[in-house]
Amino acid sequence: MTDTQTTASGPDAVLIASGVEGGVRDQVRAWWDRVRGGEMGALPASAGIVVLTVLFTFLSPFFLTERNFANLLTQAATLVMLAMALTFVLLLGEIDLSAGVTSGMTMALFVVLDNVFAVAWPIALLAAFGAGLATGLFIGFFVARVGIPSFVVTLGLFLGFQGLALTIIGDGGLYRLQVREILAIQNSNMPVWGGWLMLVVILGVVAATSVLDRRRRTRAGVPNRTVTLVWVKLAVVLVVGGAVVAVLSQNRSASPAAIVAGVPVVVPIVLTILWLGTFLLDRTRFGRYVYSVGGNAEAARRAGINVRMIRWSGFVLCSTLAVVSGLLSISKVGSVDAAAGREIVLSGVAAAVVGGVSLFGGRGRLLHAAVGALVIAIITNGLGLLNLPAGVNFMVTGSVLVLAATVDAVSRSRASGTVRRN
Amino acid sequence: MSDAPIIELQDVRKSFGPVSVLQGIDFRAYPGKVTALVGDNGAGKSTLIKGLAGVQPYDSGTVMFDGERVELQSPRDAARLGIEVVYQDLALCDNLDIVQNMFLGREEMSHGTLDEGVMEKDASDALRSLSVRTMTSVRQKVASLSGGQRQTVAIARAVLKKARVVILDEPTAALGVAQTAQVLSLVERLAHQGVAVIIISHNLQDVFEVADYVAPLYLGHLVAEVPIAETSYDDVVGYITGSKTYAGAETSA
Ligand SMILES: Nc1ncnc2c1ncn2[C@@H]1O[C@H](COP(=O)(O)OP(=O)(O)O)[C@@H](O)[C@H]1O
Ligand SMILES: [Mg+2]
């Protein structure tokens, strides 16, 4: 988003550049300067995906198969969703340790309402979302109004909701999800043509937003980046997306009697939420204010921004999206127990940070969180295929997190260190 | 005094617990004129302007704007009247770029979404009109700017919306000689455009260079508000340190 033009300098240079001047080479150089200046974004995590994929492909013959790929995506969906939810509070420089148990508790509510009280499932679902929303309002009240650190408030909820889930479900109890529509999210695939249609829609949206953005800039009288970059972007989406859809369009059934093919239904759902959330953060006042509060809350306040309301909204968004994450989880697992969501929250924070969302607030994107979640999911999936004990998974994930947090801290100090070079 | 004041404070007071920081201040600022607010550390200068900014409302007293009584309870109230403040601790977001900072809190929209093109254009024009040459790109993050550049962004932010009153809190305190001269010429340019400029400064040399009026604060009281031509360096130092009281004509005459 931001551009550092390095060519113009010295007292007689053109007044101020836009940062979009020059050809592809200039833009690539400007991007590389930003990376070296500490704005690495999802670059380390993306590299991590490549390295891990190569590594696990060598270690397990099953890793790079169509079936495992589809399985990996559905496994990752819950974590991707939770990491995206957490990004809304991480961007504010806050944290929500209760996001996981919020998803667990609301799912317990959903399933119990459906199973035990025979409430129509859409109404039970509404109740679950209502509970998630109420949780966000509750946290927001104590953080934004009362002024308690979010770490403390949400740690309290983390414990409280486990107790609530135990009370609803009972120790060792487990409720099976019987709503076919919800089970379908993680257990059914679009027809093969649906996957290709999805790709066409994505290409269309990317092209349309690029064209509209360029038209707007032209109308305002400011320069545009070279149009080649739009083609490059479309080509990348086409190649990567095309490869994914192609692989998922192959028959991956374990038995010769049946055919299993197509992009899992969860994929377009997660992509849609990712797109909507990104739209909100990048293109609306609200999104801009989220970044400004995370960057410098006092500056935001002096600019007339209702900082309290922005914080509050962040927690509401996080808790509400945590409900979606819970839905993806029970759809995959098929049941809910008292411990649901207890462990995943730390993986969710880890995923966001690994992807490049700063723990210090103000930096990061939803896409970064999603990529980070894929890294964690690949580690879990790959180590699982190697039949390594669960302990190894925790240790590896923990190490990756510390590594990512170190990158975060170092790039942060770089971002303000490069600065005073002039 | 020639014109009608655009801002007139009458008997404003502010306390922090037992500490009475402003003890009944009467103060005016005039369109097209630079009024310098001077005083020792802790005299209450920042507190006085935070009230005008709506950031920290006064406990009591009257604020007249264009001859009408107004309430300044929030930064939005001040912004609506066209009062813009450049703070001593520059209120910028390091993680946002120059354009985003200049438009923070009053973004240009079209079709319900941020219009980055228009904002970038207006921001560039504003910086250009101030003859800013030291920045490479308006899309640079503020984190990567030097102190003088940050000051420029903060001032450009204030002039962007054709403010009627611009308040500068110690704008030159952290700047070198060349950048100080640049900021002072910018202050003069603002006043020429009819803006009422209120400048807080420790540097009396700066004050005598740009100010039309000087208003020394001493221990929560405004000693005087005098045309710069009718006072001297030594007098002002006396007012600031409390070794002199103002014996001239009533300021309200
Ligand atoms: N928010 C606050 N809470 C308590 N005391 C304050 C606050 N703001 C300012 N003060 C006190 O008020 C006095 C005047 O401060 P200030 O207006 O910043 O002075 P100046 O800008 O003239 O140096 C100082 O003694 C300072 O400690
Ligand atoms: Mg001060």
Side-chain angles (χ1 to χ4, degrees):
Chain A
M1 271 180 62
T2 317
D3 310 286
T4 311
Q5 180 80 0
T6 50
T7 46
S9 59
D12 293 327
V14 189
L15 283 173
I16 312 146
S18 240
V20 301
E21 293 83 355
V24 176
R25 285 182 61 149
D26 298 291
Q27 288 300 315
V28 169
R29 195 173 319 124
W31 170 79
W32 183 240
D33 280 345
R34 288 200 298 280
V35 169
R36 289 196 317 174
E39 291 178 53
M40 282 187 266
L43 192 64
S46 307
I49 287 184
V50 174
V51 170
L52 287 168
T53 303
V54 171
L55 184 70
F56 284 126
T57 304
F58 271 108
L59 293 177
S60 161
F62 190 67
F63 182 77
L64 206 63
T65 58
E66 289 92 355
R67 183 132 55 98
N68 190 50
F69 185 56
N71 191 30
L72 174 65
L73 287 184
T74 53
Q75 276 176 353
T78 302
L79 189 62
V80 168
M81 207 57 233
L82 194 69
M84 279 166 33
L86 285 163
T87 301
F88 282 97
V89 291
L90 291 175
L91 282 179
L92 291 166
E94 307 280 349
I95 197 155
D96 183 358
L97 293 175
S98 68
V101 292
T102 298
S103 71
M105 184 278 294
T106 54
M107 285 311 106
L109 180 69
F110 173 62
V111 176
V112 167
L113 280 180
D114 180 67
N115 284 11
V116 181
F117 295 95
V119 175
W121 75 263
I123 295 177
L125 189 62
L126 269 183
F129 273 103
L133 196 108
T135 304
L137 287 172
F138 181 85
I139 301 170
F141 175 80
F142 282 101
V143 176
R145 258 210 106 90
V146 183
I148 306 174
S150 54
F151 179 83
V152 177
V153 176
T154 60
L155 183 61
L157 263 188
F158 175 70
L159 299 173
F161 274 175
Q162 287 178 47
L164 189 60
L166 263 179
T167 313
I168 296 178
I169 294 182
D171 199 7
L174 178 144
Y175 283 91
R176 235 164 248 305
L177 173 67
Q178 286 161 351
V179 183
R180 260 182 296 126
E181 288 82 350
I182 300 296
L183 282 167
I185 297 174
Q186 289 272 50
N187 296 291
S188 61
N189 305 306
M190 294 194 291
V192 168
W193 59 263
W196 294 111
L197 178 65
M198 181 185 83
L199 185 60
V200 170
V201 170
I202 293 172
L203 285 168
V205 169
V206 171
T209 47
S210 296
V211 168
L212 289 175
D213 283 347
R214 296 177 73 85
R215 202 177 285 168
R216 236 184 221 188
R217 290 183 63 91
T218 306
R219 206 177 301 138
V222 288
N224 274 302
R225 283 206 177 84
T226 166
V227 75
T228 317
L229 287 178
V230 179
W231 293 112
V232 170
K233 195 170 172 184
L234 286 172
V236 169
V237 174
L238 184 65
V239 169
V240 176
V244 169
V245 174
V247 168
L248 292 172
S249 297
Q250 306 294 313
N251 179 19
R252 53 178 181 269
S253 173
S255 80
I259 289 182
V260 177
V263 176
V265 167
V266 69
V267 173
I269 294 178
V270 169
L271 286 180
T272 304
I273 294 175
L274 171 63
W275 186 80
L276 288 175
T278 303
F279 187 93
L280 185 70
L281 284 175
D282 282 0
R283 293 170 183 270
T284 69
R285 277 212 169 105
F286 173 78
R288 179 66 39 88
Y289 295 171
V290 167
Y291 282 98
S292 75
V293 170
N296 184 347
E298 179 59 18
R301 195 174 75 86
R302 289 181 189 173
I305 292 165
N306 190 339
V307 173
R308 190 179 276 177
M309 198 48 80
I310 298 292
R311 286 219 174 95
W312 207 324
S313 313
F315 284 103
V316 169
L317 276 169
C318 176
S319 297
T320 309
L321 287 177
V323 177
V324 179
S325 169
L327 273 177
L328 301 187
S329 168
I330 55 165
S331 177
K332 176 82 182 167
V333 179
S335 64
V336 60
D337 61 30
R342 191 187 293 174
E343 271 152 24
I344 196 176
V345 70
L346 295 180
S347 304
V349 175
V353 175
V354 165
V357 178
S358 175
L359 278 171
F360 303 101
R363 299 198 314 167
R365 321 192 65 217
L366 290 180
L367 182 64
H368 297 170
V371 172
L374 283 177
V375 170
I376 307 278
I378 290 175
I379 293 174
T380 307
N381 175 281
L383 292 179
L385 292 178
L386 300 180
N387 284 322
L388 289 175
V392 176
N393 185 8
F394 284 129
M395 288 188 277
V396 172
T397 308
S399 311
V400 172
L401 172 61
V402 173
L403 187 69
T406 308
V407 170
D408 179 19
V410 170
S411 66
R412 186 177 128 97
S413 63
R414 259 210 197 183
S416 47
T418 32
V419 189
R420 329 248 153 192
R421 66 194 151 197
N422 36 359
Chain B
M1 295 186 178
S2 53
D3 277 308
I6 184 168
I7 281 186
E8 180 165 9
L9 300 180
Q10 297 169 351
D11 195 31
V12 298
R13 290 163 190 276
K14 179 78 187 178
S15 307
F16 297 105
V19 188
S20 186
V21 178
L22 303 178
Q23 303 172 16
I25 304 277
D26 296 315
F27 174 82
R28 293 132 187 235
Y30 300 87
K33 304 285 181 199
V34 179
T35 307
L37 201 54
V38 296
D40 217 343
N41 270 331
K45 307 180 296 291
S46 295
T47 306
L48 187 68
I49 62 144
K50 277 179 185 162
L52 278 175
V55 168
Q56 210 174 63
Y58 303 122
D59 295 339
S60 67
T62 311
V63 183
M64 308 287 281
F65 190 90
D66 267 346
E68 280 178 40
R69 196 185 164 139
V70 291
E71 294 295 321
L72 291 172
Q73 295 298 325
S74 76
R76 276 197 191 285
D77 292 341
R80 208 174 304 123
L81 295 171
I83 302 175
E84 294 292 338
V85 187
V86 178
Y87 292 96
Q88 194 169 17
D89 48 336
L90 299 172
L92 300 173
C93 294
D94 273 358
N95 58 330
L96 300 182
D97 65 34
I98 293 173
V99 178
Q100 291 169 340
N101 267 289
M102 283 174 67
F103 276 93
L104 190 62
R106 51 182 178 211
E107 294 74 11
E108 292 288 345
M109 309 293 285
S110 92
H111 301 290
T113 57
L114 299 167
D115 196 328
E116 298 291 349
V118 167
M119 289 193 272
E120 190 171 313
K121 178 81 169 68
D122 291 356
S124 307
D125 287 350
L127 287 168
R128 207 166 281 141
S129 77
L130 304 177
S131 306
V132 176
R133 286 171 183 279
T134 52
M135 283 169 209
T136 48
S137 159
V138 285
R139 288 298 184 182
Q140 228 174 320
K141 293 224 162 144
V142 161
S144 69
L145 298 180
S146 69
Q149 290 174 325
R150 293 166 68 91
Q151 184 65 249
T152 307
V153 171
I155 294 174
R157 177 180 150 75
V159 299
L160 189 65
K161 277 296 160 88
K162 305 187 171 45
R164 300 189 58 201
V165 178
V166 173
I167 304 171
L168 303 155
D169 192 355
E170 299 274 7
T172 59
L175 302 187
V177 178
Q179 283 171 327
T180 297
Q182 212 167 25
V183 169
L184 291 182
S185 81
L186 171 56
V187 167
E188 282 177 333
R189 219 167 309 159
L190 280 177
H192 271 297
Q193 292 168 10
V195 176
V197 182
I198 301 171
I199 180 170
I200 295 181
S201 184
H202 264 116
N203 188 334
L204 288 186
Q205 212 169 325
D206 290 358
V207 169
F208 275 84
E209 195 177 326
V210 294
D212 299 295
Y213 298 97
V214 58
L217 263 180
Y218 179 65
L219 294 180
H221 294 280
L222 199 68
V223 185
E225 188 168 353
V226 281
I228 202 87
E230 295 171 18
T231 189
S232 69
Y233 204 96
D234 288 341
D235 280 347
V236 175
V237 172
Y239 301 146
I240 291 172
T241 54
S243 65
K244 244 179 210 169
T245 51
Y246 183 60
E250 285 288 318
T251 50
S252 58

